[in-house]
Amino acid sequence: MSGYSLFRSAMLTKHMTTKATAVLCRKNILSKIQTCGYAKKVAAKVKGKGMVKEELKGPEVCKDPVRLTSYAVGVNIMKHGEDPKLKAPEEYPEWLFQLNLGEPKKLHELDPDNWKYWKRLRKENIWRFNKLHKGKKL
């Protein structure tokens, strides 16, 4: 199709009377042919005229060591209110300090008589099944 349009533009320029206008017409037609096949760049849409897009800001990070050791910073979810004050460790239940906050235990570290073992085994089998069906090697 582009070869046909190029041939057609060459035929049109031959019918021109002066060589200067023929060269000028040929250059204009060739430049139009080259650019008409490309997609236009999409401009970013902004709502309203002349509005400046505001960047989202995260919460402010508290770096005060006294506040961090005496309050539970970031626990308050209300707009108005303060973070709760930390209590003495004796006032909290015992199980709170026995929670595993590190990496979860591996399957070989768990006891097969425990329900956590079977839950972990099921999770690992689901992960294995999903990897196999995505075409990934184990």
Side-chain angles (χ1 to χ4, degrees):
M1 185 76 181
S2 64
Y4 172 73
S5 61
L6 184 62
F7 175 73
R8 187 171 168 214
S9 65
M11 293 300 290
L12 288 174
T13 55
K14 283 185 180 179
H15 295 294
M16 300 289 177
T17 55
T18 62
K19 288 184 179 180
T21 57
V23 172
L24 183 63
C25 288
R26 188 177 296 143
K27 284 185 179 179
N28 287 343
I29 292 172
L30 288 177
S31 66
K32 287 180 184 176
I33 291 170
Q34 290 175 351
T35 59
C36 68
Y38 297 114
K40 294 180 180 179
K41 292 183 180 179
V42 179
K45 293 184 179 180
V46 180
K47 293 182 180 179
K49 293 184 179 180
M51 287 184 64
V52 178
K53 188 174 181 181
E54 295 180 15
E55 293 183 21
L56 296 176
K57 296 180 182 178
E60 295 180 13
V61 179
C62 179
K63 296 180 181 178
D64 182 23
V66 175
R67 181 152 179 85
L68 288 172
T69 55
S70 59
Y71 289 92
V73 179
V75 177
N76 182 30
I77 58 170
M78 303 295 188
K79 286 185 177 181
H80 304 288
E82 295 182 4
D83 293 323
K85 210 169 194 184
L86 293 177
K87 300 176 185 176
E90 297 83 29
E91 295 183 37
Y92 291 105
E94 188 64 34
W95 59 266
L96 186 62
F97 299 104
Q98 295 173 355
L99 290 176
N100 182 20
L101 300 177
E103 292 288 322
K105 292 184 179 178
K106 304 289 183 190
L107 188 63
H108 62 83
E109 296 173 353
L110 296 172
D111 182 29
D113 296 332
N114 195 349
W115 67 273
K116 290 182 181 181
Y117 172 84
W118 295 103
K119 186 175 180 180
R120 182 71 183 185
L121 180 67
R122 184 172 184 271
K123 272 188 180 181
E124 288 186 7
N125 283 334
I126 291 171
W127 293 338
R128 181 178 172 273
F129 178 80
N130 290 341
K131 283 182 185 177
L132 286 173
H133 283 291
K134 284 185 181 177
K136 294 182 181 177
K137 294 182 180 178
L138 292 177

